[in-house]
Structures are given as C-alpha cells and as structure tokens.
Amino acid sequence: MKKKKKLPNGAFLEYFDNIAKEKRIDREVVINAIKEGFETAYTKKLEDETKAMFNTKNKKTNNKGKDGVKLSNALVRYDIDLENNVLDFYHQYKVVKEDDIQDDFIEISDEDPRAVNNNLHVGDYYEEKVDLATFTKGDVDKFISVFKQQINAAEKNALLEIFKSKIGEIVTGTVEKVDHCVLVNLGNSRDGALATLYKKDLIGDETFKPGDSIKVYVESIGVTKGGKKDDLIKISRSCNGFLKKLFFNEIHEIYDGTVEIVGIARIPGVKAKVSVTTKDPNVDPSGACIGPNGSRIQAVVSQLGNKTKEKVDVITFKENRGLYIQECLKPAQIIGIKFDDEKEVATVIVPDELKNQAIGQRGVNAILTRMLLGLKEIKIIGISEAIEQNIEYKLFEEFEIEAREEQRRKTREESLRKANESIAKIVKEEEQAEDFLSKDEGSVEEEELLGETSVEPVVEETVEPVKAKEEVVEKVNVNTTISLDDLEASLEEEKKTTQETSKKKKKESKVEESKVTKEDSKPKEKMSIYTDEELEALENEEFDDDFEDEDNFEEYDDDSYYEE
C-alpha cells in the first residue's frame, strides 16, 4: 500500500498566495471562495443522498416526476491552518426549541441527545466534522466549479476597482501575443490585465507584433453578450469613442469645452466625419480642429492605423438640415433637397457633373452623411434625373432663407431676454436702494423718538416711510414675460414720455430764467456813500467856469503822430 505524500509545511499558504497574486485579489478572498465552494458542494452531496433515499422508499416515483428535495445551504465552519496544511470543515446545527424547528437540515431540538450530551442550550451550535474522504468525483467537480466562479467574480471586482476610472479613456498597453486576435497587456507587469483586440476592433488592415506599444480605448468591464461571457475588459480602436478621445487629447479647444463634438460617423480604416460646433461667435470650430496647415488634424490622423491612414473630415454643425447636408457633402454643391420624415429618407439633387463627387468613392460620402443625420437612407441624384422623375424638392436657397429667419428670431429672443434681465436688475437695485433708505430714515427717526414720551408721533412717523415706499413701488410695472412687440411699444411710449418731460422741463427752466432776469433788472437800493450834510455842501460848492485844461491833447489826434 502506497503512502500518501505529505505536503511540506506552508504549501497551502504558498498556493493561495500565488492565486491571489495572479488574480490581483486578497488571500482572504481565496479562502472564502474555498468555503463557498465546499458549502455548495456539501449541500449538493446531501441533496443527492436525500433524493436517493426518497426514490428508494417510493419506487413508483421516478426522477421525471420528482427531482428530489431542495435543501438550504448547510451551515459550515472551516478551520484552516495554512502553515501546517490543515483544512477541516464542520457541519453546524443551530439548537432551537422543539416547537420552533423549521429545517432539520440546519436545526436540532434542545432535547436532542446531541445537544443534551454536549450541554448545549438554545442559540448554541452543534458541530459534526465532515470526512472529505466521502466526497465523490462529482462532489469535487462541483467544488472546483463554484471555487472558480468565486475567484472570477473577485477578479472582476478587482479589475473594476483598477480600471473603473479608465472606462471611456485611452490607455497604452503592450502587445503580448498575435494570432487571429491581438492580446494586449494593459499597464505594467504588476497590476496589468490582459485584454483582447479582435479583428473588428482594429483599424482597417493594421497589424502588430509582440512587444509593440499600442493605444486602446477602454469601452467597458465585464460585458456579456448573448449569454456568453466576454472578456472582462472590453477594448477597441475602431469605435467612435477612440476617435473622439483622440480629438480631446490633441485639440485644446475641445479639451477646454470651447468647441464641442456633436456627432461622429466612421468607417474604420477608410474615412470618418466629425461634426463640431461652438457657442463662441469669435471661434471657427472646424478651423480650430484642423489647425494651421492642418497640423492638428494630422496629429489625430497619424494615430489611426499603421498601414493605411484613416481620412477625417471636420465639418461645422448646422441646425438647419438642408445646410447641414451641404456641409456634409462638401465640396459638392447641392441644388435642392426633398425630405420624407415618415420614411426617414432624404433625396438630394445635385448638378449632373457633381453626382459622383457627392456620393464619394464606394458611396462612403453618402453613407457617412446618412449616419450623421440619423437617416435610414439618403439618395443623391442629378438634376436631369430629378426633372425626368418629376420630383418636387425645396431649393437650397430656401433653406438659407429659413436659416436666416431662424437666426433673426433667436437674436430677437436673446435681445428680449437681455432686456428683461436688465429691467429686473434695475428694479432689484431700486428696491434695494429704497430698503436701504427706509432703514436709514427709520434709524434717524428712532433716535429722535428716544426722548419723547408721546406715542402718537411715533405712529405717524413710522407710517410715512412705508407709504412713500408703496407709492414708488406702484409706479414700477415689470413684466419679464412680455412679447417683443409689447416691449418695443413700451419703449417707444417711454421715449415719447421722456421727450415731453424734457420739453416741459426746458419750458419751466426758461420761465424761471425770465423771472430771475426780471428780478435782476429791477433797480435795487444801494447804500449811500455821502451823508446828507456832505451832499448839501457839494451842491453849494462853486465851480470855476473858466477852467481850461492845462495839457493840450490835440497833437494825439493827428495820425502823423503815430506814424512818427
């Protein structure tokens, strides 16, 4: 008889540590997975034994009519000594009252000999050691299956913690293996995780070899498709998210939000159209993405395939569908468009010589335009064909007129909104000023009233500021939801009132000036310089009538004097 090989001390510990390191999970998670696996396998073992006993007692009942009894999960306690390689399991029974037993698979009565002999009371547990030698191959397979499920779930949670912040981001990995697909190691060797790039996830006919550095877009983690478990980490290079993230990383205006990406239509490895817009009227969205001499868009295109580079068209988004189609089909010019909204079909009429240019090579231009507009079908026909089929369509000039009218309407609404905001702001400032003045007046009045003993003056003085405030408020009539026509009429009326008031004030000012002038023209009493005696002396003073000026000034009257 061969002796069983005894495992060296610490073998369990080393084994569990290796699993934990490989799966990037804790050792305790591995031990708990063992417990879960044993608990499920042991319960299944007891179910099968119960089923066999039932079928033996009731031979008339076959497996088709009776599948056996479904038992609750066994209460299990494990005792693991990893250093000495000891792994023991115990089946537990909870001690309850005789009348309270509901499941004898996990419960025993307090009157049961097993409870009595071991001096157990209600609430205690009775344990029986499980002999692992009684496990069959089926029981072991069940244990392994549950153990792997628990480990895989733990691995998924660990990956989720590591990569949950990277979902929707571009990460750099290293190609591990190339076969019918590309196996990529994300991150470094310590916390890296393996993910698979399938052929549909590659850009066109690009190829890689082991050791190559590769950029991939993390789409999701733990995705399942059609009931079949997929890779824990779903990565791609052909999805729209990869191209969108490249724009975010390479173009500053998109990164800071000045320019926004409205939509992306892409045939990986062939061509893509990216629709952009902005709220800043001073920024050209498509020009910002293209950059000087196409430098910015080339930085994006250089990362789209390592053989044939994918072409990228950047177009400016238009809210008007007609103008938007024209942007998508540039450089071809369109004559008119017919929309069938029920069937989600658009028929575009172009000059006969530009039909092929509008459709594009292999219909790529038309396909990408249809994808951007969300249509089921787009038809591009020449003008002669449209005349033959008698197709009624709207001219492109009509779409331009509609766009201009829509822009005017938005401008008017924006002006109205700003005007309402200005009015509301002015009213608020006036109310705040009135509140401040009323509080100030109230404080002065309170100081004046401190020394008074009469109550009546206090009542009169406190009422007056309130009345004044109410009168001012009644004069203000604010309606922040008035129409533009009403606003224009009110502004015109206000203008006329202002002019009349100005004229009235001018007249009043003229009248005041005339009054002041008349008052100034009246003779005013002046203070006398001489006394009455001095005036009488001056009147009686005698003057010499023969007075002659001793100086002769006649010579100054002659012009010759000044000439000399």
Side-chain angles (χ1 to χ4, degrees), residues 449-512:
L449 294 173
L450 286 176
E452 298 182 5
T453 57
S454 177
V455 179
E456 293 180 358
V458 177
V459 176
E460 292 176 358
E461 291 179 3
T462 53
V463 172
E464 289 179 359
V466 177
K467 288 183 178 180
K469 180 178 179 181
E470 290 177 353
E471 291 175 0
V472 175
V473 174
E474 290 177 356
K475 292 180 182 180
V476 180
N477 186 14
V478 181
N479 184 7
T480 57
T481 58
I482 61 175
S483 64
L484 184 60
D485 295 335
D486 294 338
L487 177 62
E488 292 176 350
S490 63
L491 292 175
E492 187 66 27
E493 183 66 25
E494 184 179 352
K495 182 178 179 182
K496 291 180 180 179
T497 305
T498 305
Q499 292 176 352
E500 292 176 358
T501 305
S502 177
K503 290 179 180 179
K504 186 176 180 180
K505 287 183 178 180
K506 288 181 179 179
K507 291 180 179 179
E508 292 176 355
S509 62
K510 288 182 179 179
V511 171
E512 292 294 332

Side-chain angles (χ1 to χ4, degrees), residues 64-115:
K64 295 181 180 179
K66 186 74 173 177
D67 292 334
V69 181
K70 180 66 177 176
L71 300 177
S72 304
N73 286 341
L75 297 177
V76 175
R77 183 181 71 83
Y78 61 89
D79 187 6
I80 300 179
D81 185 356
L82 299 179
E83 292 291 343
N84 298 315
N85 303 325
V86 177
L87 183 63
D88 293 328
F89 289 92
Y90 299 89
H91 183 186
Q92 292 183 321
Y93 297 88
K94 187 176 182 180
V95 180
V96 297
K97 290 286 186 181
E98 179 68 29
D99 297 335
D100 295 338
I101 294 179
Q102 297 180 356
D103 190 348
D104 57 4
F105 182 60
I106 58 176
E107 296 173 339
I108 61 172
S109 170
D110 58 345
E111 300 175 1
D112 190 288
R114 294 173 292 181

Side-chain angles (χ1 to χ4, degrees), residues 45-59:
K45 172 183 172 63
L46 296 179
E47 284 181 357
D48 293 341
E49 292 176 354
T50 306
K51 177 181 175 182
M53 292 173 58
F54 182 85
N55 290 336
T56 302
K57 294 179 180 179
N58 302 277
K59 294 182 179 180

